[in-house]
Amino acid sequence: MVQEFSTACFNPSGDTVVLGSFNGFHVFSLTNQQGFWEDVGRIQVDNPYSISALAWKPDGSQLAVGGLCGNVDVFDACVRKERYKGTFEFTYVTKSQVIVKHLSSGTRIVIRSQYGWEILRINVYHVQYLIAHTSESLLIGNLETFKLSEVSWRGSGNEKFLVDNPSVCMIHNAGELSLVEYGCNEVLGTCRTEYLSPFLISVRLNDHLCRLSDPFNEDNKKIAYLIDLQTIRILDLVSGVTAGTLNHDCKIDWLELNPHATHLLFRDKKQQLHLFNLLTQERITLLCFCSYVQWVPDSDVVVAQNRGNLYVWYSIKNPEQATIFPIKGEVEGIERAEGRTEVLVDEGSSAVGYVLDEALIEFGMALEALAYDRAIAILEPLKLAPETEAMWKQLAEAALYHKELAVAERCYAALGDVSKARYVHKVSQAKDEVVQEVGIDGLDHYIVRAKLALLQHEWKVAETLLLEHGQVGKAIQMYTECHRWEEAISVAESQNHPDYASLKQGHYEWLLQTAQEEEAGKLKEVDGDVIGAITLFLKGGLPGHAADCVSNHTLYTFPDDIMESIANALMRANKFEKAGDFLEMLGKYERAKEAYKRGRAYRRAIDLTRRVFPGEVAALEEEWGGWLVSQNQVDAAINHFIEAGCIEKAIESAMASRQWTKAVQIVDAQDIKITIPFCERIARHFEAAKQYAEAEIFFVRAKLASEAVEMYIRANKWDAAHKVAAHHLSEPDAAALYLQRARQLEAVTHYTDAEKLYIEAQEPDLAIDMYNKARKFDHVIQLVSKYRQDALAETHLRIAQQLEREGCLRGAEMHYQGAQDWRSSVKMYTSNGLWEDALRVAKLFGGVPGSKQVAYAWAVSLGGDTGAQLLVKLGLVEQAIEYAMEAGAFEHAFDLCCVSLNHKLPEVQLKYAMFLEDEGRFRDAEDAFIKVGKPREAIDMYMHQQDWTAALRVADLCDPATISDVLVAQAQDMMKKEELQKAEALLIRAKRPDVAIIMYRDKMQWDDALRVAEYFLPSKVAEIHSDLAEYMQSQNGGEDSVESLLARGRALELSQNHSEAIDVYLQLDSSLLADFDKLQQVWSLAISLSKENVPERLLEVVSTVAGRLIEAELYEVAGELYEDINATKEATNMYIEAGLWEKARAIGASSGAPLQQHVDDLYKEHLIEKGDAAELVKLGHVSGAVEIYVQLGDWPKVHEVAALLGTDEEKNYSLRHAKECLQNGKCGEAIDVLSQHGVPLNCPAFELCSFAACKIISAVDSIPQIQFTMQKLREILFQIVSSLTLNRALCPEVLTELKRLLIIVNFVTLRYISVAQELQEMQAKLSISLLRYIGTIPADRAFYEAGMACKQLGWQNMAFVFLNRYLDIVEAIDGEDTSTIDNVNFEISDIPQDFPIPERHFLEDKQREEVRDWVIQLSMDQQIERALPTRSCEDCGSSIYVASLVCFVCKMESDMCCVTGYPVASEDRVTCKACKMPANKHNWNVYIHRCQTCPWCMVPQQPFY
């Protein structure tokens, strides 16, 4: 039964409540998921009676319970406990609260989810940083600072925690880095990076406040990280703004922000140390080859190592001032404790500490804390050194920034800057006076502020402060006291101050007093006193300003003495280039050139020389090049020497500047005789660069082929060396070079290379001797076998004997074997008692006989039973028997067989019989052979002895089958004795008639051979006939004779070999038989045999015979042969060859359409070759006939016959005719042809018409009746343009050009009409309009005709301009400089300014002189305007040339009058009713009155009124 509750108490986290009652208490826990209190249970406590008091320990780990009786009990409130890696103890007070205790130190920290989430997992990193996970958040803590954070987090479980920074925890997840500051419950910031090394991330959080740059900034939280390995980003974590981005050209391997986060140090893979200032965004390189770098903890001091030096920057704002310590090892780290900072250096056996100046380090901290007194106290005891001087300046700037005037005054005094110290003191006094007089803070008074701004050179700020308070005089006084007269005058002028004029005068006087003639001269020049300004400039030694003054006032006329004074002053002042420029302006070119040369302004000098002294350019270029060489600018001198034609100097300069490619280019372009001295040096360079092919080329050019060979030998390029030697050295020279180099290599034991050279020198014996001396016998044998094969055995033997004498028996054995003298090896071993080795060699190389011999010798040497036992032991009884038989000791052999090898006895007996035969004991040998069962051996023995009776006796007795062999052998003996009849009888008796036939054949007894064959062997008869024919042939000098061939043919016929007989008959030709009739008979016989017996070869045989008839030019006979076998095509070809076209056409007509067509085609070709065009026309082959007429050049016939092919073909031949005319220079005739017979509509025709038009336009005077030719050409072009306009897809690329040519031809034609009709104005305007087309029209002719037309009409201005331009072109044709042609008058016109200059004159000399005289006379008339008349552009109103179609300003294009070519005025515009071409009304009416037709389309028209 539950008693009433007497007391209650919540735990510190508020999620657990304890209710006291009688003898116990109840515990309730709040569940976050369900939101209600859960009864955990009741704790029974005996005898306390009612619970009167409850209290929780602040961390919630224990509960104190007080009873009514005064008792107190303490209970542990623990859900569970666990140990973490034996270092920490986790006490779970509730699910959301855990006490973490460090077991070794006893320190405790409570972590609790402020959202009540259950803590699922806890990890501790580096024994200091704690990470706890809940389902919705992360709890992060620092066990040393006891700062805890809880941030919302739904992780993936793959997070990586970076806890290297004591102020912030970094969490990397999915490429994103989140930063959580310890003690802050929000994510500080995020960034994306994949580079998580602590050396590549730097975070600074409120380590120091950057008060100097921004005193109002309270939070300074930045991170520097890598976007990629070459890009750093600095992010402001407070604002989220990028504070800086660095793009580097090399990979970065270390970075770190300073404690203020105002500077970033980073190092790249090239070990270069860089400093980046975040405030100014400037980057500088501090150090190269940096192996160590670090900020000194809690300071802006940098320590870095460069090889054997330690660099310390006490003031990072002055990176150029560094303290350097020489060290002997590698820096390990920095230790800072108890007011002492040391850099630890590992110097091998010990670590050495280099103490840094703590005062200089502390100064930075004091300055950041704005503790000026402490900063002064730190600096005052220190000596004034570069480091301390920089710190005094830094302190002074900070003090002025914060208006600490006393501190600034002290700093300037310490620096020895008395003026600034004095000035600051006065400002301080002024501040105090303001306080006394006004009673306000003196620093806010405008006078004090102006003075401080003046100290910091903020002139405009000070001026503004004074002018705002009406202190104009003081502002002017401020400027004048500081000698800033321009600003003072500017203030006086802007404020209308009455002293403005006096200020200007005072400024001028002050300038003169202070010898500032330059500024005084500028004032005079501004005031318009140019002469006075020049005088002042010259007085002040400023001749350059005086010259500029003259150049700036070109309208002034200066006295000659002043100009000369300026020039001399410039020369005295060594301003030679300025002097040259000035003298050139004065027209004194020689002095200007010398001035340029003295001033080394060679470019200006050469530019002047090209224009005035062109003959001196080369010498000046050479001088320039020489000066550049003297200034060690050798590379720049090359081109100048080339320009001067000094090739040797150019090459020398190129080589001196190591521009070898340039040197090669120059050498390649010059004669070899000039460049030989340089080729060796170039070759040496290429050899050093291992460009051997190029080096070879130049060695050869320098005639040093031996050096090229040496080069290749040194480079081990033997093939290349041999190639050079073979091509460029004689054999003796090459051999001598090889031998010399080989001996050198031999001396240094480079035997392989020496061998190659000896071989190249064709001295293998020397290489062999070399290896002999070096005892390299393998190489000796290799060379001997390759080059002295005949001496190989001798060499092996010599080496073996040498090795044998030296006791190297194995080596000697090898060479004895090489000499194929194994017996010497055996002898060597036996003489040394090495019988086993002797027996081994004998077995290996001597085979069974050798082994038997050695074994027997060994046994003999042992003697008696020992020898026999040895043979038995060695298993050589059989060999011993063989040896005994060879030695003739057959009794001993029989004994051995009987004792050991009974089966060997028959063999021994056979050898015994053979022994008897060799001894001449034939009867005993016969008995022995028969005894051993070898009667054949006995028979052979008697046959060998030619004892035929004994042989037949033994054969008849023991081996009857051999009787035939005996008889044949006896017959052969009879043959040798020329007893052929006896031999025949023996052979017949032996049943070998074939041998008898061969015998007679060999003896050339053909009748006996045929007799034996016909009687005993009929099948051989034909073969004997054939052999007989061959014999007869051989008797004819090895060639076939008529008789032999006929005999062979008959023999083959008899043997029914008809095909072979045919081949034989066909072998007969005119070389064998001169009687052609008989030859035909034989060939007819072959054809008859083929018809009757070998019909499948009939065509082949006939073709062969026909071929021979063709060779005899008997085509008709050959054709008849083909016709007999119905080979119509071949017969036709033969008749055609014979010229029998009727027969050929008759066969073709009877054989079918294909053959008939073939014959007709050939007949047509025959007629074409004959040139029988009339016959071709009859046959209907009109195109062929036309081509014949073309080849004959009979163009009237061509056009007459081509008309039969149709209009298109007629036009094509018209084009060909015209093309031939143009090639022959007959332009007028070409146009007549095209006009009469038409023009085909294709691109080649258009291009030809375009070409013809250009030719005619440019050569009108050389063409007779040009007016009519022009009219015809106009009609042709008009038709073509009309056709192309209707069909724009046809050759669109030529349409524009044809239109332009049509316009030109039309205008020329109209001009002829105007001349005939006496329309002078129209003629003049057309001539003027044709000027747009100069280039197509020769420029001199166009301008002359236009000028003369204007002259006749009285248009003097245009006549003068055009004829003057004509004279310019005449001078250009004569070879003068075209740059002198003045285009000023034509800039407002559409007349081309760039055009080709004609190659020859249009007029004769006399006419040109008349024009020149008229132009000169007119130029003296002041009433003549030397310009083209103008009109106003209808669009923009600009003044443009009266005949221009295009406005040069707005580019508006006017329509062209089809009568005159002038632009059509809008108010005077009329158009042709047929072609719609525009025209000016007045010109149209004048032309129509006279000609009645449109000048463009030629359609009859009426005037407009």
Side-chain angles (χ1 to χ4, degrees), residues 598-755:
R598 290 186 62 185
R600 307 304 182 189
Y602 287 105
R603 191 179 305 281
R604 298 290 301 278
I606 287 176
D607 180 61
L608 174 62
T609 306
R610 289 187 194 279
R611 289 184 278 109
V612 183
F613 313 107
E616 300 179 14
V617 173
L620 195 55
E621 289 278 7
E622 182 179 3
E623 182 181 342
W624 190 359
W627 180 77
L628 288 172
V629 170
S630 68
Q631 299 298 311
N632 290 327
Q633 301 179 30
V634 188
D635 53 343
I638 301 170
N639 290 332
H640 298 294
F641 283 135
I642 294 173
E643 291 290 335
C646 301
I647 302 304
E648 293 86 350
K649 291 184 178 180
I651 298 172
E652 188 67 40
S653 299
M655 292 192 294
S657 61
R658 305 193 65 78
Q659 293 193 19
W660 298 100
T661 303
K662 187 72 172 179
V664 169
Q665 291 174 354
I666 300 172
V667 167
D668 287 342
Q670 304 304 318
D671 187 0
I672 187 65
K673 295 180 181 178
I674 299 175
T675 59
I676 282 178
F678 307 102
C679 289
E680 182 179 0
R681 291 173 60 188
I682 296 174
R684 297 293 182 195
H685 159 72
F686 282 126
E687 180 183 1
K690 296 184 179 181
Q691 297 178 10
Y692 299 116
E694 290 80 359
E696 174 197 334
I697 293 170
F698 286 97
F699 274 133
V700 172
R701 285 190 186 179
K703 298 182 179 180
L704 295 171
S706 59
E707 294 293 334
V709 176
E710 283 281 357
M711 172 191 71
Y712 280 127
I713 291 172
R714 288 192 292 272
N716 291 325
K717 294 181 177 291
W718 305 102
D719 293 340
H722 176 69
K723 183 178 179 182
V724 174
H727 282 81
H728 301 287
L729 293 180
S730 64
E731 290 188 4
D733 292 343
L737 181 63
Y738 289 152
L739 291 175
Q740 179 185 359
R741 181 62 178 166
R743 292 189 184 96
Q744 294 172 357
L745 293 172
E746 180 182 353
V748 295
T749 69
H750 291 173
Y751 298 120
T752 303
D753 295 339
E755 174 197 336

Side-chain angles (χ1 to χ4, degrees), residues 141-386:
N142 187 329
L143 297 179
E144 288 189 358
T145 61
F146 298 104
K147 290 183 178 181
L148 295 175
S149 303
E150 182 176 11
V151 295
S152 298
W153 190 270
R154 287 182 175 270
S156 61
N158 298 321
E159 297 88 353
K160 184 176 181 181
F161 297 93
L162 308 176
V163 291
D164 301 291
N165 192 299
S167 301
V168 65
C169 175
M170 291 176 276
I171 309 167
H172 187 264
N173 183 32
E176 185 174 77
L177 189 68
S178 302
L179 289 84
V180 179
E181 185 179 2
Y182 295 115
C184 181
N185 293 331
E186 292 181 354
V187 175
L188 180 59
T190 61
C191 61
R192 299 196 68 83
T193 182
E194 296 293 337
Y195 307 98
L196 305 180
S197 169
F199 302 113
L200 300 177
I201 299 178
S202 179
V203 182
R204 295 295 185 182
L205 302 181
N206 290 325
D207 290 339
H208 288 272
L209 299 179
C210 190
R211 300 186 181 93
L212 289 181
S213 60
D214 189 357
F216 304 103
N217 185 18
E218 296 182 356
D219 284 331
N220 184 25
K221 300 179 181 181
K222 294 185 178 68
I223 179 174
Y225 63 94
L226 292 183
I227 298 175
D228 55 54
L229 286 175
Q230 294 180 228
T231 307
I232 303 174
R233 184 187 180 199
I234 302 100
L235 179 66
D236 190 330
L237 296 172
V238 177
S239 63
V241 176
T242 299
T245 302
L246 284 87
N247 294 311
H248 197 50
D249 57 358
C250 186
K251 292 183 179 179
I252 298 165
D253 65 356
W254 182 90
L255 60 85
E256 188 173 4
L257 289 164
N258 69 328
H260 307 115
T262 59
H263 292 78
L264 172 72
L265 279 175
F266 67 93
R267 184 182 64 190
D268 58 30
K269 289 290 185 181
K270 296 180 180 178
Q271 293 191 321
Q272 289 186 328
L273 181 64
H274 305 272
L275 176 69
F276 180 68
N277 189 329
L278 272 70
L279 303 178
T280 62
Q281 297 290 304
E282 294 177 352
R283 172 172 59 181
I284 61 172
T285 300
L286 287 181
L287 198 62
C288 295
F289 305 106
C290 176
S291 57
Y292 176 86
V293 60
Q294 192 63 51
W295 295 100
V296 173
D298 299 324
S299 74
D300 281 347
V301 178
V302 178
V303 175
Q305 181 182 0
N306 166 272
R307 293 176 176 171
N309 293 316
L310 180 69
Y311 286 76
V312 181
W313 287 272
Y314 288 105
S315 176
I316 200 61
K317 293 184 179 180
N318 297 279
E320 68 280 356
Q321 296 177 351
T323 303
I324 305 174
F325 300 95
I327 59 176
K328 298 180 180 179
E330 300 294 329
V331 177
E332 288 188 339
I334 302 173
E335 286 188 356
R336 189 175 190 199
E338 299 178 357
R340 181 182 177 87
T341 303
E342 287 186 335
V343 179
L344 300 180
V345 179
D346 183 5
E347 296 189 352
S349 59
S350 62
V352 179
Y354 291 82
V355 180
L356 303 184
D357 193 329
E358 190 66 25
L360 299 181
I361 297 174
E362 287 292 334
F363 170 78
M365 300 175 63
L367 189 61
E368 287 301 314
L370 301 181
Y372 295 115
D373 294 338
R374 184 157 64 94
I376 292 174
I378 291 171
L379 292 178
E380 279 184 336
L382 302 178
K383 293 182 179 180
L384 191 64

Side-chain angles (χ1 to χ4, degrees), residues 275 370 727 765 908 991 1015:
L275 176 69
L370 301 181
H727 282 81
D765 294 335
V908 175
K991 299 180 181 180
Y1015 188 77

